[in-house]
Amino acid sequence: MSQRLAGKVVVITGAASGMGAASAKLLASEGATIIGGDVNAERLEAVASEVQAAGGKMVTLVGDISTKEGANALIAKATEGEGRLDVLVNNAGIMDNFEGVAKVEDQVWHRVMSVNLYAPMALSRAAVQWMKEHGGGAIVNVASAAGVGGGAAGAAYTASKHGVVGLTKNTAIAYAPAGIRCNAIIVGAVATNIMESINQEKIDQEAMAQFGKWHGVTPGQLQPEDIANVVLFLSLDESKMINGATVEADAGWMAH
Ligand SMILES: NC(=O)c1ccc[n+]([C@@H]2O[C@H](COP(=O)([O-])OP(=O)(O)OC[C@H]3O[C@@H](n4cnc5c(N)ncnc54)[C@H](O)[C@@H]3O)[C@@H](O)[C@H]2O)c1
């Protein structure tokens, strides 16, 4: 079968680990040139080496996408470096410490909001400005069960992912006439390195005891590749009728 993303350029944030790394490998195997961004230089280079060893193309940029400069630089790596941008995958994200609102520290709130919500906005802003003038494109936002439900994580993470869902729907409606689609994936529990972003000593045990009841009905843990398959589908023209959607990839968790 011919490669379904041949000639396309795809920006993926958080491409050094978990779902971002799995998406980079899968979309590169379909012929896309991957522009992979992350703060973790070592892991990012390891993923790029794997992609290249498999015959794919991946360009890397080490930087913090929670700053305007970092976000714009990653998009410019595609638009200026490669001369095109077809797909933006807003994947990078960090956890909070499962704090209910009574325990939220301002510093944690602002950090989670800047990585999980400001960055997808800033990247989408730069991407849409370019896509509007160049025939459209697709944006895939990696949201979470915490983007629609209240019991998956703390107040900051939950608010940030609900924000991502809102950003997704708004972007989908505003730029449909320009041929830009924007969808969000409601991701269930996936085996990745995201727990490294939790400060174990600060976990809010009282709130966690409540969230644990909802965690308890998770039908199962997913693998990063399971989500990469959804990222791929939402990147392809085959999903052209899907816009502004929240696509659940959670093994049925949200059905509970
Ligand atoms: N793992 C899960 O169970 C789960 C569930 C639902 C949603 N998600 C979401 O999936 C997405 C991917 O997470 P993952 O589970 O693969 O985690 P991960 O920690 O394995 O990978 C996330 C990557 O993002 C990078 N990153 C973090 N902050 C960054 C910044 N400011 N600039 C650039 N890169 C940055 C990290 O270095 C890391 O490589 C996140 O948005 C997360 O919220 C994860």
Side-chain angles (χ1 to χ4, degrees):
M1 201 168 75
S2 62
Q3 290 181 306
R4 291 180 288 175
L5 289 172
K8 302 271 173 99
V9 173
V10 177
V11 169
I12 303 178
T13 68
S17 176
M19 292 169 240
S23 300
K25 290 179 216 170
L26 182 63
L27 274 61
S29 77
E30 290 286 353
T33 294
I34 307 297
I35 311 294
D38 209 289
V39 282
N40 190 319
E42 203 177 317
R43 284 184 182 163
L44 188 61
E45 283 320 310
V47 173
S49 298
E50 243 188 280
V51 166
Q52 281 145 16
K57 186 171 176 203
M58 179 163 165
V59 177
T60 58
L61 185 65
V62 177
D64 182 354
I65 43 111
S66 70
T67 68
K68 187 177 176 182
E69 296 71 29
N72 287 344
L74 192 58
I75 297 299
K77 198 90 177 161
T79 56
E80 291 169 23
E82 301 295 321
R84 66 183 292 158
L85 172 61
D86 298 284
V87 180
L88 165 63
V89 183
N90 281 313
N91 165 76
I94 55 172
M95 284 294 296
D96 57 10
N97 309 306
F98 297 96
E99 300 98 332
V101 72
K103 297 265 176 66
V104 173
E105 292 175 8
D106 282 356
Q107 181 265 336
V108 172
W109 176 270
H110 291 308
R111 183 76 196 129
V112 169
M113 283 295 164
S114 67
V115 177
N116 292 5
L117 185 54
Y118 172 81
M121 183 286 296
L123 284 145
S124 298
R125 176 172 58 197
V128 165
Q129 286 169 2
W130 196 89
M131 287 173 173
K132 264 172 62 121
E133 306 303 322
H134 296 84
I139 299 174
V140 182
N141 292 328
V142 178
S144 164
V148 291
Y157 186 89
T158 303
S160 74
K161 293 297 186 179
H162 272 69
V164 167
V165 169
L167 176 69
T168 301
K169 293 176 181 174
N170 185 267
T171 304
I173 290 175
Y175 302 105
I180 299 170
R181 296 185 299 120
C182 183
N183 294 293
I185 308 177
I186 304 304
V187 174
V190 189
T192 69
N193 292 313
I194 199 158
M195 292 303 168
E196 289 176 5
S197 64
I198 294 177
N199 183 339
Q200 298 288 339
E201 285 168 17
K202 292 207 165 172
I203 288 180
D204 178 352
Q205 300 297 347
E206 187 187 356
M208 191 62 184
Q210 287 300 109
F211 304 147
K213 294 175 189 166
W214 202 51
H215 290 176
V217 296
T218 313
Q221 201 174 48
L222 310 170
Q223 295 304 315
E225 293 72 22
D226 297 325
I227 305 305
N229 278 313
V230 185
V231 171
L232 172 62
F233 178 62
L234 293 174
S235 303
L236 293 169
D237 290 341
E238 279 90 333
S239 63
K240 65 178 183 295
M241 282 301 128
I242 302 180
N243 192 25
T246 46
V247 179
E248 290 163 9
D250 63 354
W253 192 9
M254 293 307 107
H256 284 262

